[in-house]
Amino acid sequence: MSARRFMAPGADLAGESVRIEGDLFRHMVKVLRLKIDTRVRLADGHGAECAGIIREIGRDHLTVAVEERHAVAPASGSLQITLIQGLPKGEKMELILQKGTELGVSAVVPFQADRSVSRIPADRQDERLRRWQRIAAEAARQAGRPDLPTVRLAQGMEGAIRGGDHDLKLLLWEEERATTLKGAIKARPRPARIAVIVGPEGGLTTEEAETARRAGFIPVTLGRRILRTETAGIALLAILQYLYGDLGEGENPEEGPGSSLTS
């Protein structure tokens, strides 16, 4: 049986052993009921991985004796995509985080847009962030990602778009009629760092769109299709990963899509 793989953000994998505590310890021992001498693989979320054997299980921690370690390239190679997502209702943000992580997003920035129905009280924001980070870590583990996306909660559009050095900035906006996604990226140099803004259920206000536009974001339309907020970002991530990332890996980009199917 192959060793189970776990994401251990913040763990030091460089020594002869790794100490596991907190939620991961409880998951491994209380939920999965792993025992001493069980082989496991650990990833720190920054590209380092190791394999070893559980040698000690205490009341609040376990220890893994490291047998081998190696570095792994990021899931999407050199492509980095930041998804800036207007906070949606209910548990939709969790779905977006899960599927975005599977699709190799590098960073997710949920922000409380003017039309966001959901509001996270200040005293609960840290708790919500920790939950989102756990969801991203579990999605990364299931997808076999060696790295973890960062998650940052922002207050408003200005806070969401602050910082970041991106080659391509896209704003999905329902009021845009002329510029299509295809038109926005056509004849542009191949980007390595992309930022995408998606509004909440009620969409973005004109003022928010103008704030993004002044920061260099290109408003684009996806045409006649009307996608829900939890679908739009995921769809765009898949498109961008196919064009510039690792979806369809094995093809030669210089030969064009589908060329790897020919003999």
Side-chain angles (χ1 to χ4, degrees):
M1 180 181 295
S2 60
R4 287 180 178 268
R5 181 176 182 273
F6 299 94
M7 299 300 297
D12 182 5
L13 307 187
E16 294 182 357
S17 64
V18 180
R19 182 184 175 100
I20 302 296
E21 302 173 309
D23 289 340
L24 181 55
F25 163 73
R26 287 186 286 273
H27 178 68
M28 294 173 73
V29 175
K30 306 297 184 182
V31 178
L32 299 179
R33 300 186 180 278
L34 301 187
K35 306 296 184 184
I36 289 176
D37 292 335
T38 301
R39 293 185 177 277
V40 296
R41 294 170 55 207
L42 302 173
D44 68 357
H46 300 288
E49 293 200 9
C50 72
I53 300 177
I54 297 176
R55 289 302 192 198
E56 175 193 1
I57 298 178
R59 293 183 60 183
D60 60 358
H61 74 281
L62 63 81
T63 302
V64 175
V66 176
E67 295 183 320
E68 59 178 284
R69 60 175 58 84
H70 59 278
V72 184
S76 297
S78 61
L79 180 65
Q80 298 180 21
I81 305 178
T82 297
L83 174 60
I84 302 170
Q85 171 71 52
L87 197 62
K89 294 187 292 186
E91 299 179 352
K92 294 178 183 178
M93 193 64 232
E94 298 183 4
L95 173 68
I96 293 168
L97 271 168
Q98 183 185 65
K99 300 308 176 185
T101 299
E102 291 177 21
L103 285 166
V105 71
S106 300
V108 181
V109 184
F111 72 100
Q112 295 192 162
D114 291 345
R115 293 175 178 165
S116 288
V117 174
S118 293
R119 298 285 165 176
I120 304 175
D123 61 350
R124 299 196 62 186
Q125 290 179 4
D126 288 345
E127 176 188 345
R128 187 67 59 87
L129 267 176
R130 287 193 294 270
R131 176 169 176 78
W132 286 342
Q133 288 163 348
R134 287 197 298 269
I135 289 168
E138 177 59 17
R141 184 193 68 79
Q142 292 182 349
R145 277 187 65 164
D147 57 336
L148 282 175
T150 61
V151 185
R152 175 176 68 87
L153 178 62
Q155 302 299 318
M157 178 65 79
E158 290 190 2
I161 62 178
R162 186 179 299 125
D165 180 19
H166 299 99
D167 308 317
L168 178 63
K169 300 178 180 181
L170 300 173
L171 165 66
L172 293 187
W173 194 35
E174 61 275 10
E175 298 298 324
E176 178 59 37
R177 297 289 183 267
T179 304
T180 63
L181 174 62
K182 184 182 294 186
I185 64 179
K186 185 177 181 181
R188 287 180 173 271
R190 187 183 187 92
R193 297 172 300 279
I194 304 172
V196 177
I197 299 175
V198 178
E201 289 88 352
L204 298 168
T205 64
T206 301
E207 292 76 13
E208 287 174 320
E210 185 57 32
T211 296
R213 194 197 307 267
R214 288 197 302 268
F217 283 82
I218 305 169
V220 298
T221 175
L222 293 179
R224 290 173 292 179
R225 295 187 186 276
I226 299 175
L227 301 182
R228 296 166 65 98
T229 184
E230 67 269 31
T231 307
I234 294 170
L236 189 51
L237 283 173
I239 293 169
L240 294 173
Q241 286 286 20
Y242 177 74
L243 291 174
Y244 306 119
D246 59 358
L247 277 184
E249 192 175 45
E251 295 177 355
N252 183 343
E254 301 300 324
E255 295 177 0
S259 58
S260 64
L261 300 180
T262 61
S263 57

